[in-house]
Amino acid sequence: MMRMDNKVTSHQRFIKKFERDLKSYFESGENDRFLKTFNRYTALTEPSEHAEEMLYETLLQANRQGELVDYTLEQMNSGDGNYETHMVYMLKALNDMGNYEEVLEFSSHLLDEPIPQGFRIDILSLRQHAANKLRGIFTDKTPDVTRETFDSYHLFQKLEFLEQITETHDLAYIDLIIEVFDETKRNELQTAMLLYLHSVRYNGTLKIEKCGVKMAVKPSELTQLEDYFMIDDVLQKVVDEVEAFNPSFTEAAKELIMGHAIYMYPVNPGFTSNAFVSAYLSRIEAMLGMEESAAADKEVVDWLDKLEREIAENSL
């Protein structure tokens, strides 16, 4: 009968042989043999980081990027292997597949985290590649725009241009937008500029004044518009309430709060979300000729009145 320690030794020998074979097949470019051996190898043990790196390089060379993405996601979901290695190769594969929007989405979340500097540099490089590719795709939609061209645009054209370069994370217009930012008087245009600068991870500091609040902000540290408290919290709660007592007014309620949010972003005047919700519900009930269901904070109601007057005056 074979002793247990002999079985362990034999098992380890098999693993070492597989690792030698993997290295040999990888270096000789025998992709099919490498992949078959890798499957047998992982049936015996968790793969080493080096073995996974060889796997990823082999899958890229064999144009099997979809399999690479599936494998990395499986490994990351189970917490196996090196997360940074998985993520870098997954983004490489997504770039090869032309899934540039996914690269930008994944990298945006990663760059919001306190990740190691070397990993951050890798992610920024892959993100830049995706942004450049997208810019090429959108060339017809986003022509080269100079300061003179931008100044000649009407408000709608400026907003449309900013939406396009935000969608493509176009780094070419950072200097232009920073240059015109301080001269921009329209709040909604400033919001579009801040969202663009956030999308390209601009880390400088800008001074803004909105709704009587003066702020110094770093666009890279701002939230997305959908994560701004006015939309993520206040709007959702108001819509839930309006749907309960007058569903036909839901879209109008959304437009009201969304318009305020775009005008205010990224200001937080210091009231709680619930105080805003009560004030909006009071306003909507009055618009519908209903009795106020709950008392709203007068200070918040007055603040909203002032906000709407300011919006009306700036829209003239």
Side-chain angles (χ1 to χ4, degrees):
M1 178 178 286
M2 183 178 289
R3 290 163 54 92
M4 183 60 70
D5 55 352
N6 288 337
K7 288 184 178 180
V8 172
T9 301
S10 177
H11 182 77
Q12 292 299 322
R13 284 175 180 166
F14 274 120
I15 292 173
K16 293 298 182 185
K17 182 181 185 307
F18 277 134
E19 289 178 343
R20 289 194 300 273
D21 288 345
L22 287 172
K23 184 173 184 293
S24 174
Y25 297 146
F26 176 76
E27 290 176 349
S28 61
E30 298 177 75
N31 295 339
D32 289 340
R33 296 185 74 180
F34 176 93
L35 294 171
K36 288 178 182 177
T37 302
F38 187 87
N39 289 334
R40 295 168 64 195
Y41 166 61
T42 53
L44 291 176
T45 184
E46 287 294 320
S48 68
E49 184 178 343
H50 179 57
E52 286 191 321
E53 287 182 3
M54 289 191 293
L55 169 69
Y56 293 153
E57 291 291 344
T58 298
L59 289 171
L60 290 176
Q61 290 171 17
N63 291 319
R64 294 167 71 166
Q65 286 84 355
E67 293 176 44
L68 189 157
V69 171
D70 290 342
Y71 181 87
T72 56
L73 289 172
E74 182 180 331
Q75 293 297 92
M76 287 189 285
N77 287 336
S78 60
D80 294 328
N82 185 287
Y83 177 82
E84 294 175 19
T85 300
H86 297 325
M87 182 57 74
V88 166
Y89 276 99
M90 185 184 78
L91 294 181
K92 284 183 180 180
L94 289 171
N95 265 332
D96 284 356
M97 295 164 70
N99 294 5
Y100 307 121
E101 294 90 346
E102 289 186 60
V103 175
L104 296 173
E105 182 179 353
F106 275 115
S107 62
S108 179
H109 292 303
L110 283 169
L111 294 171
D112 284 337
E113 302 297 327
I115 58 178
Q117 186 62 21
F119 185 33
R120 181 175 292 273
I121 290 170
D122 287 338
I123 298 303
L124 285 168
S125 175
L126 291 162
R127 179 184 178 82
Q128 177 71 68
H129 176 83
N132 289 344
K133 287 291 185 179
L134 269 180
R135 189 183 179 211
I137 292 170
F138 281 80
T139 297
D140 292 338
K141 296 182 181 179
T142 313
D144 288 336
V145 173
T146 64
R147 171 64 191 269
E148 182 179 7
T149 304
F150 185 83
D151 286 344
S152 71
Y153 283 166
H154 298 301
L155 176 63
F156 175 78
Q157 291 173 303
K158 290 177 180 178
L159 291 171
E160 187 177 55
F161 167 69
L162 284 161
E163 182 180 357
Q164 289 176 356
I165 62 174
T166 300
E167 181 181 356
T168 59
H169 301 253
D170 195 332
L171 303 174
Y173 293 102
I174 294 176
D175 290 341
L176 169 63
I177 299 308
I178 292 170
E179 181 182 341
V180 299
F181 184 84
D182 287 338
E183 301 170 21
T184 300
K185 305 304 179 185
R186 296 295 296 259
N187 279 24
E188 57 269 64
L189 190 54
Q190 276 197 340
T191 291
M193 291 177 175
L194 289 172
L195 292 173
Y196 161 70
L197 292 171
H198 173 76
S199 78
V200 295
R201 317 303 300 176
Y202 177 65
N203 202 38
T205 300
L206 297 173
K207 293 181 179 179
I208 63 173
E209 182 175 357
K210 284 188 174 186
C211 309
V213 178
K214 294 182 179 180
M215 301 175 64
V217 299
K218 283 188 174 183
S220 63
E221 297 176 358
L222 295 175
T223 65
Q224 300 277 14
L225 184 61
E226 58 266 28
D227 296 323
Y228 180 42
F229 83 101
M230 284 289 290
I231 294 174
D232 182 53
D233 195 3
V234 175
L235 181 137
Q236 296 303 321
K237 290 177 178 176
V238 172
V239 165
D240 288 344
E241 294 289 336
V242 173
E243 283 182 340
F245 66 76
N246 194 325
S248 64
F249 200 76
T250 301
E251 287 305 314
K254 284 182 182 178
E255 289 180 12
L256 172 67
I257 300 172
M258 182 66 77
H260 287 182
I262 292 171
Y263 190 85
M264 292 167 54
Y265 175 91
V267 168
N268 187 331
F271 305 123
T272 67
S273 292
N274 286 339
F276 266 114
V277 171
S278 296
Y280 275 116
L281 289 175
S282 174
R283 180 175 299 271
I284 291 168
E285 287 167 344
M287 292 167 67
L288 294 172
M290 300 170 58
E291 291 187 10
E292 188 176 68
S293 58
D297 186 325
K298 187 176 184 305
E299 188 178 1
V300 184
V301 171
D302 290 344
W303 194 89
L304 286 178
D305 287 340
K306 182 179 178 182
L307 174 68
E308 290 194 341
R309 286 195 300 272
E310 186 177 318
I311 293 173
E313 289 168 3
N314 290 332
S315 297
L316 297 176

